[in-house]
């Protein structure tokens, strides 16, 4: 929808990012044909996500006038650190439980229990946290009103 309604520099950006993401499956097929096996699907996804991030870095400079350095140090680095911490916690769960559906559930819960609070504290600024707080408050008020009318 965004790509359809975009125009000018934004349309070029959306078209480029879309083409990068559309290349995921052909790239995965090519990697599998080269003998990388089934994990090549993940490798191709990681490659296209990384390439799309580079395209976005170029676009934020050209479209919005925001320094890529700002984006790297204010957004990317905190997210990278938080992701590594979250994946480390998930790895601890994987190492201590046998392969099962329980391990998948526990890993997901452990990663999110670490990821969400850290992201809220270290990635969002005060205005974004306040916005989120207001939106969640409205959501709970709406749900609470509906639950009270049912009960």
């Amino acid at each position: 929808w965004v790509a359809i309604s975009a125009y000018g520099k934004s349309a070029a950006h959306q078209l480029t990012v879309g083409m990068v993401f559309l290349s995921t499956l052909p790239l995965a097929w090519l990697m599998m044909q080269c003998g990388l096996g089934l994990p090549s699907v993940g490798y191709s996804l990681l490659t296209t996500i990384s390439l799309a991030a580079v395209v976005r870095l170029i676009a934020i400079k050209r479209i919005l006038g925001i320094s890529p350095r700002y984006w790297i140090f204010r957004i990317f680095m905190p997210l990278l650190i938080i992701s590594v911490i979250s994946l480390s916690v998930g790895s601890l769960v994987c190492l201590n439980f046998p392969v099962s559906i329980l391990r998948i559930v526990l890993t997901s819960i452990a990663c999110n229990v670490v990821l969400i609070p850290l992201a809220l504290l270290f990635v969002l600024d005060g205005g974004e946290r306040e916005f989120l707080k207001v939106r969640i408050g409205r959501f709970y008020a709406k749900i609470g009103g509906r639950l009270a009318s049912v009960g």
Side-chain angles (χ1 to χ4, degrees):
W1 174 251
V2 172
I4 292 170
S5 62
Y7 61 92
K9 291 179 182 178
S10 180
H13 162 70
Q14 291 296 329
L15 179 66
T16 305
V17 170
M19 295 300 286
V20 167
F21 282 128
L22 284 174
S23 69
T24 302
L25 288 177
L27 183 60
W29 178 83
L30 181 64
M31 289 175 154
M32 287 179 70
Q33 292 300 313
C34 291
L36 291 175
L38 198 54
S40 62
V41 175
Y43 303 148
S44 70
L45 182 61
L46 183 61
T47 302
T48 55
I49 287 172
S50 300
L51 185 57
V54 170
V55 168
R56 287 185 177 128
L57 271 177
I58 294 167
I60 62 170
K61 177 67 175 166
R62 293 183 69 209
I63 297 172
L64 302 175
I66 297 172
S67 166
R69 178 182 295 264
Y70 173 83
W71 182 84
I72 288 170
F73 289 107
R74 177 68 183 96
I75 297 167
F76 179 74
M77 292 303 288
L79 284 175
L80 180 65
I81 292 167
I82 290 168
S83 296
V84 168
I85 293 169
S86 177
L87 289 172
S88 300
V89 170
S91 296
L92 290 174
V93 174
C94 285
L95 292 174
N96 291 306
F97 286 90
V99 176
S100 66
I101 191 72
L102 176 65
R103 183 170 95 170
I104 293 171
V105 171
L106 291 176
T107 302
S108 298
I109 290 170
C111 287
N112 283 305
V113 162
V114 171
L115 180 72
I116 292 170
L118 289 176
L120 289 172
L121 289 172
F122 296 111
V123 177
L124 299 180
D125 65 20
E128 292 167 330
R129 278 193 290 274
E130 186 61 33
F131 174 78
L132 192 59
K133 186 176 169 183
V134 168
R135 297 295 290 209
I136 290 172
R138 286 183 191 166
F139 175 74
Y140 280 131
K142 194 180 289 187
I143 296 295
R146 288 184 186 162
L147 291 177
S149 66
V150 171

